[in-house]
Amino acid sequence: MSLLITNIGELTTNDPELGILRDAAMVVGERVEWVGPAAAAPAADERLDVRGAAVLPGFVDSHSHLVFAGDRAPEFAARMAGQPYTGGGIRTTVAATREATDDQLRANVARLVGEALRQGTTTIEIKSGYGLSTLDEARSVRIAAEFTDEVTFLGAHVKPADSPDGYVDLVTGPMLDACAKYAGWVDVFCERGAFDVAESRRVLKAGIAAGLKPRIHANQLTMGGGVQLAVELDCASADHCTHLSDADVDALAHSNTIATLLPGAEFSTHAPYPDARRLLAAGVTVALASDCNPGSSYTSSMPFCIALAVRDMGMTPTEAVWAATAGGARALRRPDLGHLGIGASADLIVLDAPSHLHLAYRPGVPLTSSVVRKGTLQSLCVEEGHLLNPRASHQSESPHKGVLS
Ligand SMILES: [Zn+2]
């Protein structure tokens, strides 16, 4: 089944050859098959007329923590009243998550994945990290794998209050053994109060030995050694990068490691934003992600992150949109995602706006009007659970039949 998307007022392809096209059209199956002027478009089985709207790749959210129970709204309110963020509140969510049933956790992930999809996210990475026991971490990655192919084992999120001694032995031993088959990535929170550089190196190296690819929470709260460790181990991404030395920036610029910035966290913790302009000026590849979690960034909105990056981190609207799409794809080492060149996965969004610039220009406005994933128009109904895992995905009945002919 092929779909012609036509009368595209502005098509952002993120493809270096194609660039940004006006009055464009595209034909997609599961992958992008044809891109060009609307007047020259070939026929297809179905037709979607977007009437001058902007079209761009779906957002690739390369950092989220969706497997949890409960919320921490009172902690957020206390922070806004002046209390600092320390990361210690993670243990509150651990207690609630351990209490929850599998179905409760599953329902919460489904709710948040659907929420993200309605805002244009077509790929989302999901981490464990609120179980902190072999049993609870294993069920976290198992549930995450029902929703996405990009599952990250984050047993080393924080040391559990009840058994901090020997925890790294557990994470790198029995817990890793129980989790590795459900995950593609290993991650660690390398930070004062969580795991130091030596512990983080052990965690990531054990994950690599088990066949997982490394990524890391680095330099969020302090100028620690996380970024240097990321480059040393060729991590796909160093996430947060809020407090960086010149040597850190230089190391990133001469590496394959993406700097993934998570401005929802600085918003929610009342902290200074990372300096995206400094990174871009040095030649570092920057991604934007939501960090969606109940403690330090309870947003699933990539458009919100784009708006923050433009307003407070020195990015242009075009750079921020690239970072939230192609940047995220690079942070997940997925060359098939984040762009609309020929052969790319046909994951794209239609905006209720004439240009991608409106994502930052009109903050807080729900501009995503249609979402196409692997060539299929997605239902954006709130009631419907969403799975971003192709092995489990269903062909949803479209509520947008009026524009299909
Ligand atoms: Zn995180």
Side-chain angles (χ1 to χ4, degrees), residues 3-8 24-28 48 50 55 348 350 372:
L3 172 66
L4 168 66
I5 304 165
T6 192
N7 287 324
I8 301 170
M26 53 195 306
V27 175
V28 301
L48 174 63
V50 303
V55 169
L348 57 98
V350 182
V372 172

Side-chain angles (χ1 to χ4, degrees), residues 79-146:
R79 273 204 306 278
M80 295 306 110
Q83 287 183 16
Y85 175 72
T86 61
I90 290 170
R91 295 189 181 95
T92 308
T93 299
V94 170
T97 303
R98 287 176 174 177
E99 287 287 308
T101 65
D102 285 11
D103 280 344
Q104 287 169 332
L105 294 177
R106 193 174 280 124
N108 201 40
V109 179
R111 177 179 69 84
L112 292 165
V113 168
E115 190 180 277
L117 181 79
R118 290 193 296 280
Q119 298 169 92
T121 297
T122 49
T123 300
I124 191 163
E125 177 263 20
I126 302 177
K127 303 176 197 297
S128 68
Y130 294 116
L132 308 189
S133 69
T134 297
L135 194 74
D136 288 303
E137 284 298 307
R139 72 173 180 145
S140 295
V141 286
R142 175 168 50 77
I143 289 169
E146 295 173 15

Side-chain angles (χ1 to χ4, degrees), residues 63-65 127 154 157 187 217 239-240 262 291 293 296:
H63 186 136
S64 86
H65 307 249
K127 303 176 197 297
L154 180 60
H157 196 187
D187 195 348
H217 285 66
D239 294 33
H240 285 290
L262 309 167
D291 195 17
N293 78 81
S296 61

Side-chain angles (χ1 to χ4, degrees), residues 2-7 44-49 403-405:
S2 60
L3 172 66
L4 168 66
I5 304 165
T6 192
N7 287 324
D45 300 324
E46 290 189 306
R47 185 170 185 272
L48 174 63
D49 183 344
V403 291
L404 277 169
S405 58

Side-chain angles (χ1 to χ4, degrees), residues 143-169:
I143 289 169
E146 295 173 15
F147 294 87
T148 182
D149 287 337
E150 302 298 339
V151 175
T152 299
F153 167 51
L154 180 60
H157 196 187
V158 68
K159 291 173 186 166
D162 48 359
S163 55
D165 296 335
Y167 187 65
V168 175
D169 294 336

